[in-house]
Amino acid sequence: MKKIHLLLLLVALGATTVWAQKREMRGAWIQCVNGQFQGMGTQKMQQTLSYQLDELWRDGVNTIIFQVRPECDALYESGIEPWSRFLTGRQGQAPSPYWDPLRWMIDQCHRRGMELHAWINPYRARTKSTTLLASNHIAKRKPQNCFEYDGLTILNPGIPENRDYICEVARDIVTRYDVDGIHMDDYFYPYPAAGQTIPDDAQFRQYSNGIRDRGDWRRYNVNLFIEQFYKTVHEAKPWVKVGISPFGIYRNKRSSSIGSNTNGLQNYDDLYADVLLWVNNGWLDYCVPQIYWEIGNKAADYETLIHWWNQHAGKRPLIIGEDVERTVKATDPKNPSQHQQQAKHQLHRQMNNVQGTILWYAKAAVDNVGNYGTMLRNYYWRTPALQPDMSFIDKKTPGKVRKLKPVWTSDGYMLFWTAPKGKNWRDEATQYVVYRFAKGEKVNTNDASKMVAITPETFCKLPYEDGKQKYVYAVTAINRLQNESKVRKKTVRL
């Protein structure tokens, strides 16, 4: 019965225009802190990740956010922090056979035309389930820089040295690895726990800087860190994007006149994260509020929140953090016979500042719960998409591709071209966009439905049939920020 309903929905959707967006971040979080890879071994983990990446690529995903630092540790070769137990089962123990998951993931993502954003948890130094720390772990080396809270160990945000330390880790990653972005989630000051008090009296006395209110001081600490972090990353590599994924509620209306009509935990008041300040000051390159609730939730209605973020956080690309499982478990209030995927995507299209979606979490999409992945690959994300425009970082584009020419080869009919000349990262081509237009159609590269491929290769296989139909192929070059060159065209018979 479910397959019949899905088929009918696809037929109905197929009768309308495909929702083709030319620029849209389509991401998925791959986390390790849930233990899905722990002790799996090198070969099995690579096989698992390869399968996930292949399925996500088929679903239209163009950005992978890979967790590489869950508790001041590393899923990469680090001279600063120990190997993660979420990789090998024991903190400080290198993988065997040896490999570097971050370097491997970068290579695998780039082969598939995906971006890889390294996801770090800035302040969390120990999760509740970790019992043994390596000798070179920061909480072992400098316990005075941490505090215990609700079973966690936290790098104290009130100590300036900790800001420098986290930025050093970020600079190390960005400098040594070809990441496209570096990403932080919602763990700043810890989530409040009943009966628990953050032990930062001494730091408040020492570093208050004249600020009398404890909440204002804590926000000040995080603000200083976010600004320093952003500058650190862009000084190392200007093209590497900084993304932050805050909790889904900034403030409730009862706390602020600009707050949302919600009733839940608040970034500003409870986590001391002034997200709107970061957006408005340009201290991040994209913002991904975790709007994990369903449409109609009494405390935090999805529809209310997407409207709120669209209204207040438009000065940087706004990407929606989407809970796959929660979406497919909830029924659409306006159509109880189906879940909420379609209704949520319709809301996305109505928001002028929403420029993408990141899926929580990758495995749920890979497992195709509620046919979520099927709908992505067959309808919502059927055509490829470039990343959101980030010309606020840099506006330079590559030159046109050269020597565009169709050639018969042993592998079939191919379209070849030569890369444009470039002097540095701003005008060097890293990928190419291929468009196809039927005879008589205007060559319009703003029409996303005409995109055939986004590829790092300088060729594209042509779907030759009998040579009786004329098509115009257009190819553009894009740089690391996916700023697009002018077009080069060629007419071919297929």
Side-chain angles (χ1 to χ4, degrees), residues 35-223:
Q36 67 171 316
F37 305 121
Q38 188 169 320
M40 185 179 276
T42 300
Q43 184 178 5
K44 179 63 175 175
M45 185 171 170
Q46 289 180 353
Q47 289 172 349
T48 301
L49 285 168
S50 292
Y51 173 73
Q52 290 187 4
L53 291 176
D54 284 343
E55 290 300 295
L56 292 167
W57 178 81
R58 292 186 184 103
D59 287 344
V61 168
N62 62 16
T63 307
I64 297 297
I65 299 179
F66 182 53
Q67 189 174 29
V68 299
R69 185 185 184 262
E71 50 178 2
C72 292
D73 53 357
L75 271 83
Y76 60 95
E77 186 178 292
S78 172
I80 301 173
E81 296 184 315
W83 284 104
S84 175
R85 78 171 180 89
F86 294 109
L87 176 64
T88 63
R90 181 183 178 90
Q91 192 177 92
Q93 180 177 313
S96 180
Y98 184 85
W99 70 306
D100 184 324
L102 176 56
R103 194 171 302 281
W104 185 88
M105 280 289 285
I106 291 168
D107 178 63
Q108 293 295 314
C109 287
H110 288 176
R111 286 184 188 181
R112 292 167 173 83
M114 295 170 161
E115 289 198 347
L116 189 286
H117 294 212
W119 163 19
I120 72 169
N121 302 90
Y123 292 111
R124 186 172 63 197
R126 182 181 62 81
T127 61
K128 292 182 180 182
S129 58
T130 298
T131 57
L132 183 66
L133 297 177
S135 59
N136 63 330
H137 189 273
I138 186 67
K140 281 280 193 179
R141 293 188 290 109
K142 296 192 174 182
Q144 70 276 12
N145 283 13
C146 307
F147 61 73
E148 302 296 315
Y149 185 89
D150 192 34
L152 303 168
T153 302
I154 307 293
L155 286 177
N156 192 332
I159 298 177
E161 183 183 349
N162 286 338
R163 295 195 292 271
D164 296 337
Y165 176 73
I166 302 166
C167 288
E168 179 188 2
V169 170
R171 180 184 284 108
D172 177 61
I173 293 172
V174 171
T175 302
R176 293 193 298 116
Y177 292 89
D178 189 21
V179 295
D180 302 288
I182 193 156
H183 184 92
M184 291 186 287
D185 57 7
D186 52 331
Y187 292 102
F188 298 102
Y189 275 88
Y191 275 64
Q196 302 275 329
T197 302
I198 295 173
D200 58 2
D201 288 348
Q203 289 74 38
F204 185 44
R205 288 192 299 269
Q206 184 176 359
Y207 301 113
S208 65
N209 198 35
I211 300 171
R212 296 183 179 182
D213 179 83
R214 183 78 61 110
D216 287 343
W217 173 71
R218 288 174 178 165
R219 280 183 287 275
Y220 169 75
N221 293 330
V222 180
N223 292 341

Side-chain angles (χ1 to χ4, degrees), residues 24-41:
E24 185 174 38
M25 184 179 287
R26 301 169 177 175
W29 281 289
I30 296 182
Q31 85 277 38
C32 68
V33 76
N34 65 343
Q36 67 171 316
F37 305 121
Q38 188 169 320
M40 185 179 276

Side-chain angles (χ1 to χ4, degrees), residues 318-329:
L318 174 63
I319 320 298
I320 302 301
E322 199 84 61
D323 187 314
V324 173
E325 291 183 342
R326 203 156 179 169
T327 297
V328 301
K329 286 178 181 177

Side-chain angles (χ1 to χ4, degrees), residues 138-350:
I138 186 67
K140 281 280 193 179
R141 293 188 290 109
K142 296 192 174 182
Q144 70 276 12
N145 283 13
C146 307
F147 61 73
E148 302 296 315
Y149 185 89
D150 192 34
L152 303 168
T153 302
I154 307 293
L155 286 177
N156 192 332
I159 298 177
E161 183 183 349
N162 286 338
R163 295 195 292 271
D164 296 337
Y165 176 73
I166 302 166
C167 288
E168 179 188 2
V169 170
R171 180 184 284 108
D172 177 61
I173 293 172
V174 171
T175 302
R176 293 193 298 116
Y177 292 89
D178 189 21
V179 295
D180 302 288
I182 193 156
H183 184 92
M184 291 186 287
D185 57 7
D186 52 331
Y187 292 102
F188 298 102
Y189 275 88
Y191 275 64
Q196 302 275 329
T197 302
I198 295 173
D200 58 2
D201 288 348
Q203 289 74 38
F204 185 44
R205 288 192 299 269
Q206 184 176 359
Y207 301 113
S208 65
N209 198 35
I211 300 171
R212 296 183 179 182
D213 179 83
R214 183 78 61 110
D216 287 343
W217 173 71
R218 288 174 178 165
R219 280 183 287 275
Y220 169 75
N221 293 330
V222 180
N223 292 341
L224 286 176
F225 163 65
I226 296 296
E227 182 180 18
Q228 181 179 346
F229 187 90
Y230 185 80
K231 289 179 179 177
T232 297
V233 170
H234 281 280
E235 284 171 359
K237 287 181 181 173
W239 62 86
V240 174
K241 303 160 187 174
V242 175
I244 298 178
S245 180
F247 183 72
I249 298 172
Y250 175 67
R251 301 190 82 183
N252 299 307
K253 192 171 282 294
R254 61 180 168 79
S255 300
S256 169
S257 59
I258 70 161
S260 54
N261 190 21
T262 50
N263 183 24
L265 186 91
Q266 305 168 100
N267 274 293
Y268 185 92
D269 304 83
D270 302 315
L271 303 177
Y272 308 101
D274 192 352
V275 184
L276 289 192
L277 179 72
W278 311 341
V279 169
N280 291 329
N281 284 359
W283 295 343
L284 44 72
D285 297 314
Y286 65 93
C287 180
V288 194
Q290 298 171 22
I291 311 180
Y292 288 168
W293 302 276
E294 66 277 8
I295 298 169
N297 185 286
K298 292 181 179 178
D301 173 47
Y302 181 97
E303 186 168 358
T304 296
L305 283 166
I306 195 171
H307 278 280
W308 188 91
W309 285 98
N310 181 68
Q311 180 182 351
H312 292 93
K315 289 195 174 180
R316 282 291 185 265
L318 174 63
I319 320 298
I320 302 301
E322 199 84 61
D323 187 314
V324 173
E325 291 183 342
R326 203 156 179 169
T327 297
V328 301
K329 286 178 181 177
T331 57
D332 182 349
K334 296 179 181 178
N335 188 352
S337 66
Q338 65 186 41
H339 59 58
Q340 294 191 355
Q341 184 180 13
Q342 182 182 2
K344 286 186 174 182
H345 271 273
Q346 286 174 337
L347 283 171
H348 280 224
R349 295 301 186 247
Q350 294 167 15

Side-chain angles (χ1 to χ4, degrees), residues 68 80 83 114 139 164 168 226 277 307 338 358 360 363 377-378 423 435 444 447 449 453 458 485:
V68 299
I80 301 173
W83 284 104
M114 295 170 161
D164 296 337
E168 179 188 2
I226 296 296
L277 179 72
H307 278 280
Q338 65 186 41
I358 297 180
W360 176 259
K363 190 176 183 299
R377 69 178 64 183
N378 290 336
K423 296 179 180 178
Y435 303 83
N444 176 16
D447 184 350
S449 69
T458 54
S485 74

